[in-house]
């Protein structure tokens, strides 16, 4: 099966060499071809170029993209889409004046999601998650990371990870699984945090590793959740079992979690709404990428990650959704890109780099995903007719996507 996309008004993120990350100043550059074509064979981008050089090319299917923009699918490196039910009541409670912390303190929040999930069958959980995944693919996501963390018991955490594995098996997009057992302290361990960390380290991590269910180990490193010492114990155990750290840090407080992540070669440090110069310096001496989650800031009305400062410090930045029932019930990467421009003052070029190639880097898959490059996976978005690519972040809330191609097949 081959597809030839012709007359593309703007072909974005074309890379002659297989670039796997873009940093600092380079993020301002989004390489583009006007009046272009892309040739796909099976699941791979075989060739692209100017329409002037497209003469005589044949394919099983030709898609005329006159007036349309083509770009790589979004790479969403931070989600929690395997969850049960929703938290609409807490949403209303927050509007009526309760804070995220108030809600957590009275048994809501993550513990509420955990209780619902523990009582949900594996099949039901799979069905709920697969609906969400189907929706985000339609919104242009072609690679995604999914975390556990709403189980908080061995059985429920493994149930979540098995659901992720099943999604991975049944869906065409790339899915990376993360064990986030240390997401919140379960009620049963209310006064025994050390006991819970023991459980995570001695039982949950080995059990997940035994069945090869998680590539990454994650911790919610935050005041009132897990401190530096807890985080370090969990990261060390994860690494011993072949998992790479990717951590939640600096959402509400900055107290050294970024440097700790860097110390253990975290692939990414995510959130960073609160960021100081010590954190920036730590990142400058690392291969760790910062991941911003602007829909979470939008939904909770908390500060936005200082993406401008991160990029201006010469660092790479990725953008992701944080799709989860409590703080970001949305998996729309188009909204993320738009919000990054509007609220974080990223340029459209920086935001698109952050949501494609750098998102792929934050999942360890940027050798195959995140740019239009010969030999990379044929995961593409074809938009409706648009004046230019600025329209993508500009028309926030609009769905500009007409067609999504995953592994060389139209969805
Ligand atoms: Zn998260």
């Amino acid at each position: 099966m081959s597809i030839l996309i012709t007359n593309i008004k703007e072909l974005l993120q074309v890379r002659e060499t297989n670039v796997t990350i873009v940093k600092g100043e380079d993020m301002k550059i989004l390489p583009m071809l006007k009046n272009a074509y892309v040739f796909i064979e099976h699941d791979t981008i075989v060739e692209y170029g100017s329409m002037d050089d497209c003469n005589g090319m044949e394919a099983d299917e030709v898609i005329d993209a006159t007036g349309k923009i083509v770009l790589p699918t979004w790479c969403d490196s931070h989600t929690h889409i395997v969850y049960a039910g929703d938290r609409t009541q807490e949403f209303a409670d927050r509007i009526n004046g309760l804070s995220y912390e108030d809600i957590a303190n009275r048994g809501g929040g993550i513990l509420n999601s955990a209780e619902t999930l523990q009582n949900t069958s594996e099949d039901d959980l799979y069905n709920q998650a697969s609906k969400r995944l189907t929706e985000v693919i339609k919104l242009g996501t072609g690679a995604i990371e999914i975390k556990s963390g709403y189980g908080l018991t061995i059985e429920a955490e493994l149930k979540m990870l098995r659901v992720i594995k099943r999604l991975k098996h049944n869906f065409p997009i790339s899915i990376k699984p993360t064990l986030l057992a240390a997401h919140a302290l379960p009620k049963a361990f209310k006064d025994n945090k050390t006991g819970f960390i023991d459980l995570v380290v001695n039982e949950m991590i080995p059990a997940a590793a035994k069945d090869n269910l998680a590539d990454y180990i994650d911790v919610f490193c935050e005041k009132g959740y897990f401190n530096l010492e807890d985080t370090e114990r969990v990261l060390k155990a994860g690494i011993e079992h072949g998992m790479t750290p990717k951590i939640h840090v600096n959402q509400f407080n900055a107290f050294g979690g970024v440097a700790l992540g860097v110390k253990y070669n975290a692939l990414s440090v995510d959130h960073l709404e609160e960021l100081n110069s010590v954190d920036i310096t730590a990142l400058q001496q690392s291969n760790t990428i910062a991941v911003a989650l602007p829909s979470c800031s939008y939904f909770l009305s908390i500060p936005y990650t200082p993406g401008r400062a991160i990029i201006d410090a010469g660092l790479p930045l990725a953008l992701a959704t944080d799709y989860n029932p409590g703080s970001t019930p949305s998996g729309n990467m188009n909204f993320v890109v738009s919000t990054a421009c509007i609220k974080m003052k990223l340029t459209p070029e920086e935001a698109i780099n952050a949501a494609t190639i750098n998102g792929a880097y934050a999942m360890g898959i940027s050798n195959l995903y995140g740019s239009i490059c010969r030999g990379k996976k044929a995961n593409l978005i074809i938009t409706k007719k648009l004046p230019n690519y600025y329209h993508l972040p500009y028309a926030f809330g609009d769905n500009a996507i007409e067609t999504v191609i995953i592994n060389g097949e139209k969805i």
Side-chain angles (χ1 to χ4, degrees):
M1 178 68 190
S2 57
I3 298 178
L4 179 63
I5 310 172
T6 60
N7 301 312
I8 301 165
K9 187 174 191 176
E10 293 175 345
L11 177 62
L12 306 184
Q13 191 63 298
V14 289
R15 301 277 176 177
E16 278 295 307
T17 54
N18 193 352
V19 171
T20 53
I21 189 169
V22 282
K23 303 178 182 183
E25 277 282 302
D26 291 343
M27 288 188 68
K28 286 197 168 58
I29 302 161
L30 183 68
M32 173 181 61
L33 278 178
K34 291 193 176 188
N35 192 29
Y37 76 91
V38 175
F39 181 68
I40 296 165
E41 207 159 20
H42 304 297
D43 64 348
T44 305
I45 297 167
V46 170
E47 195 51 87
Y48 66 85
S50 162
M51 278 308 289
D52 299 339
D53 302 322
C54 186
N55 283 339
M57 269 197 182
E58 285 180 19
D60 297 327
E61 184 178 357
V62 176
I63 300 174
D64 180 4
T66 299
K68 299 170 185 177
I69 291 162
V70 173
L71 68 158
T73 49
W74 307 124
C75 296
D76 188 354
S77 66
H78 183 136
T79 84
H80 310 248
I81 66 162
V82 174
Y83 61 83
D86 60 45
R87 303 229 298 263
T88 47
Q89 184 57 49
E90 291 175 15
F91 172 64
D93 290 345
R94 268 200 312 115
I95 294 168
N96 283 313
L98 290 185
S99 72
Y100 191 69
E101 276 158 325
D102 293 335
I103 290 166
N105 287 339
R106 63 171 205 181
I110 297 166
L111 296 185
N112 177 358
S113 288
E115 198 175 319
T116 312
L117 188 139
Q118 286 161 13
N119 297 319
T120 301
S121 76
E122 194 160 325
D123 283 345
D124 188 2
L125 191 59
Y126 173 82
N127 290 334
Q128 292 187 39
S130 62
K131 268 190 201 143
R132 295 179 198 115
L133 191 56
T134 303
E135 285 305 312
V136 302
I137 293 171
K138 282 190 212 156
L139 290 167
T141 296
I144 198 166
E145 181 261 13
I146 310 174
K147 301 173 195 295
S148 71
Y150 292 119
L152 305 181
T153 63
I154 297 188
E155 301 74 41
E157 285 292 306
L158 291 177
K159 177 164 74 178
M160 289 187 79
L161 291 173
R162 284 193 302 268
V163 166
I164 299 171
K165 189 177 182 177
R166 208 162 134 195
L167 294 168
K168 193 175 164 167
H169 187 257
N170 293 344
F171 280 79
I173 73 168
S174 174
I175 297 177
K176 300 294 273 182
T178 300
L179 175 63
L180 173 60
H183 193 195
L185 195 60
K187 268 183 216 147
F189 290 86
K190 200 166 139 284
D191 302 311
N192 181 17
K193 193 171 66 169
T194 307
F196 182 64
I197 297 291
D198 287 344
L199 180 74
V200 171
V201 165
N202 298 328
E203 297 187 46
M204 290 190 192
I205 290 174
K210 185 172 145 278
D211 293 332
N212 214 3
L213 291 172
D215 292 350
Y216 302 114
I217 182 75
D218 198 342
V219 181
F220 189 19
C221 179
E222 185 55 64
K223 280 188 183 162
Y225 291 83
F226 299 100
N227 63 24
L228 294 178
E229 195 189 335
D230 306 326
T231 302
E232 186 160 21
R233 280 192 67 201
V234 174
L235 295 189
K236 272 185 170 172
I239 291 166
E240 276 168 25
H241 287 83
M243 300 172 195
T244 301
K246 264 175 89 67
I247 55 174
H248 285 71
V249 280
N250 292 39
Q251 182 175 1
F252 302 107
N253 298 282
F255 54 89
V258 171
L260 184 69
V262 165
K263 180 180 167 191
Y264 287 97
N265 292 314
L267 180 58
S268 70
V269 284
D270 301 29
H271 274 292
L272 314 179
E273 288 86 344
E274 302 297 329
L275 197 68
N276 60 36
S277 59
V278 177
D279 300 322
I280 295 265
T281 306
L283 287 170
Q284 283 169 330
Q285 294 156 357
S286 78
N287 293 315
T288 302
I289 191 166
V291 178
L293 310 164
S295 321
C296 175
S297 297
Y298 174 84
F299 189 79
L300 292 182
S301 300
I302 62 173
Y304 286 83
T305 303
R308 194 63 278 141
I310 292 170
I311 294 172
D312 291 346
L315 293 168
L317 180 73
L319 289 167
T321 62
D322 198 17
Y323 194 173
N324 77 80
S327 66
T328 322
S330 162
N332 189 341
M333 282 294 285
N334 307 282
F335 179 79
V336 166
V337 167
S338 197
T339 308
C341 293
I342 296 163
K343 295 293 186 182
M344 294 164 59
K345 306 288 179 234
L346 265 59
T347 65
E349 295 78 16
E350 288 170 333
I352 293 170
N353 274 318
T356 55
I357 189 71
N358 283 0
Y361 178 88
M363 290 185 275
I365 56 171
S366 59
N367 59 332
L368 280 177
Y369 295 87
S371 63
I372 308 291
C373 183
R374 294 175 190 94
K376 276 197 168 179
K377 289 282 180 195
N379 281 17
L380 304 170
I381 291 170
I382 305 175
T383 69
K384 298 168 186 166
K385 289 188 179 181
L386 295 179
N388 55 54
Y389 70 88
Y390 283 3
H391 203 85
L392 292 169
Y394 163 77
F396 73 93
D398 194 15
N399 184 0
I401 296 175
E402 188 171 82
T403 307
V404 177
I405 295 176
I406 302 288
N407 289 338
E409 286 188 25
K410 282 200 281 183
I411 296 299

